[in-house]
Amino acid sequence: MNCKISAQHYQLLLDHPFTTSRYTVNVQDTLIVSISDGEVIGYGEATVNPYYGTTIQQLKAAIFSIEEDFKNHFGTPPEVLWERIAQKLKHNYFALCAIDCAYWDYYARKHKRTLRSFWNTTTDNLPKTNYTIGIDELSIMKDKIKKTPWPIYKIKLGVPDDLQIIKQLRDITNAIFRIDANCAWRVDETIKKSKALRDLGVEFIEQPLAADNWEGMREVKDKSKLPIIADESCKTLEDVEKCAEVFHGINIKLMKCGGITPALKMIQKARTLGIKVMIGCMTESSVGISTIAQLAPLLDYLDADGAMLLKNDVAIGVTFKNGTILYADSFGSGVQLK
């Protein structure tokens, strides 16, 4: 069967500078991977991320390094293809993700099915996506909330006046708050802040401690007044069981784990261990977001607002109304490049 894999670099401009406890992003470099048989085409995405050490050059090199293996197994089920190429891309799961997602999209379109139909038959009771407010001057954070009324906000923290920020933001909205400290807090700080944040209407705290501080997280889980969700501590399937011991839930990101195929296994594993499941995004275009949204029927929480933060989205697909997913009326992920 004829097949072609291609990769196109785009620069995504953000509406506002996006700041976490680690760095600020104004322009997000991303790679859109396309897989085609000449008639049907599927799309996947991988972004540049300094925390995980990805670059456009590295992503392209990794993707084209498995081109021959890919062609040899083209047409097989996505899980089979993933197993064939994962070993060669074990040091670049972002590239593996882009290929896996593009192939799942292609495979679903080829079989005239939506992506989500492969693992779920209903869209009842879907989780709503949060809208993320990056670290900024308080007046700007307030202005973002006023301009985008939303039922759930994820608030990035990790600065000295964290609690004061939440108190001030609570004055202007009754929405649910989720807090993401991106590894910036200490054990005692997290435990102390958890009580105040609970009283301020916070739903959970995401990754308060450094990713490898497992003993600290054990203490936090025991003493926190709020659920604690793993992000940086949970990259791949192998991390789920370890995280279940010291977190109340996990935030799966497709780029961290290598795509849809391993994400499905991570969700299943988390369910057997009795912990909550969230899927998050990496400030990506509607290509990546539309893929993530296909997994929503399997989740407790969803963080899929990446494309909403952009000035120049490169695609159309899934959209959101007041947090609710509006799926595109087409096969695969529903994505179309502009």
Side-chain angles (χ1 to χ4, degrees), residues 20-21 135 156-163 165 184-185 189 193:
T20 70
S21 61
I135 296 170
K156 295 286 189 177
L157 294 181
V159 292
D161 56 346
D162 280 339
L163 288 181
I165 288 172
W185 291 352
E189 179 183 9
K193 287 180 175 177

Side-chain angles (χ1 to χ4, degrees), residues 271-290:
R271 293 304 182 204
T272 64
L273 294 169
I275 60 173
K276 297 290 188 179
V277 182
M278 177 179 186
I279 283 189
C281 62
M282 300 267 205
T283 315
E284 56 214 76
S285 77
S286 282
V287 174
I289 297 303
S290 296

Side-chain angles (χ1 to χ4, degrees), residues 175 203 257 272:
E203 185 176 24
C257 70
T272 64

Side-chain angles (χ1 to χ4, degrees), residues 60-117:
K60 282 186 174 181
I63 287 164
F64 292 115
S65 73
I66 54 83
E67 192 169 11
E68 196 61 36
D69 294 276
F70 174 82
K71 289 180 177 179
N72 288 339
H73 296 95
F74 188 75
T76 61
E79 302 93 332
V80 175
L81 179 68
W82 192 91
E83 291 295 340
R84 296 294 183 269
I85 64 176
Q87 188 61 29
K88 290 191 176 181
L89 291 178
K90 62 183 178 182
H91 299 302
N92 198 324
Y93 271 21
F94 277 54
L96 180 58
C97 167
I99 297 168
D100 183 65
C101 292
Y103 188 64
W104 265 107
D105 189 29
Y106 163 81
Y107 193 82
R109 293 176 196 242
K110 188 71 175 178
H111 289 81
K112 294 182 169 53
R113 295 174 61 178
T114 64
L115 246 181
R116 59 191 179 278
S117 72

Side-chain angles (χ1 to χ4, degrees), residues 71-313:
K71 289 180 177 179
N72 288 339
H73 296 95
F74 188 75
T76 61
E79 302 93 332
V80 175
L81 179 68
W82 192 91
E83 291 295 340
R84 296 294 183 269
I85 64 176
Q87 188 61 29
K88 290 191 176 181
L89 291 178
K90 62 183 178 182
H91 299 302
N92 198 324
Y93 271 21
F94 277 54
L96 180 58
C97 167
I99 297 168
D100 183 65
C101 292
Y103 188 64
W104 265 107
D105 189 29
Y106 163 81
Y107 193 82
R109 293 176 196 242
K110 188 71 175 178
H111 289 81
K112 294 182 169 53
R113 295 174 61 178
T114 64
L115 246 181
R116 59 191 179 278
S117 72
F118 284 86
W119 46 80
N120 195 77
T121 56
T122 179
T123 54
D124 295 337
N125 302 314
L126 294 177
K128 292 187 175 186
T129 186
N130 54 230
Y131 183 86
T132 305
I133 306 296
I135 296 170
D136 214 319
E137 294 179 16
L138 183 57
S139 61
I140 295 175
M141 296 175 78
K142 283 185 173 182
D143 193 49
K144 288 178 181 178
I145 288 176
K146 290 175 181 176
K147 287 182 176 178
T148 311
W150 212 253
I152 310 168
Y153 294 102
K154 178 190 276 194
I155 314 294
K156 295 286 189 177
L157 294 181
V159 292
D161 56 346
D162 280 339
L163 288 181
Q164 190 59 34
I165 288 172
I166 298 304
K167 288 176 182 177
Q168 292 289 319
L169 296 183
R170 179 50 76 207
D171 287 343
I172 64 168
T173 177
N174 292 319
I176 295 168
F177 285 169
R178 297 168 177 172
I179 300 303
D180 187 358
N182 286 113
C183 309
W185 291 352
R186 304 179 308 277
V187 172
D188 57 341
E189 179 183 9
T190 304
I191 295 167
K192 183 178 180 180
K193 287 180 175 177
S194 71
K195 183 180 186 304
L197 291 170
R198 178 197 61 186
D199 296 341
L200 287 165
V202 170
E203 185 176 24
F204 60 72
I205 299 170
E206 187 177 336
Q207 196 67 49
L209 309 184
D212 59 355
N213 189 355
W214 297 99
E215 283 308 308
M217 281 313 314
R218 191 178 302 278
E219 183 178 353
V220 165
K221 184 183 181 184
D222 289 342
K223 298 179 181 178
S224 173
K225 300 299 182 181
L226 285 171
I228 308 295
I229 307 297
D231 181 358
E232 287 86 346
S233 294
C234 189
K235 296 184 185 120
T236 64
L237 178 62
E238 290 70 29
D239 297 322
V240 178
E241 191 162 358
K242 193 173 182 180
C243 282
E245 297 177 6
V246 297
F247 290 93
H248 299 95
I250 57 172
N251 182 0
I252 299 168
K253 289 182 177 170
L254 301 189
M255 292 181 213
K256 289 191 301 184
C257 70
I260 292 170
T261 299
L264 290 169
K265 293 179 181 179
M266 292 175 75
I267 293 168
Q268 184 179 30
K269 183 69 172 178
R271 293 304 182 204
T272 64
L273 294 169
I275 60 173
K276 297 290 188 179
V277 182
M278 177 179 186
I279 283 189
C281 62
M282 300 267 205
T283 315
E284 56 214 76
S285 77
S286 282
V287 174
I289 297 303
S290 296
T291 303
I292 290 168
Q294 299 292 320
L295 292 158
L298 306 178
L299 308 177
D300 299 299
Y301 313 120
L302 180 64
D303 173 19
D305 65 338
M308 294 173 59
L309 308 178
L310 302 176
K311 281 183 181 177
N312 65 326
D313 198 353

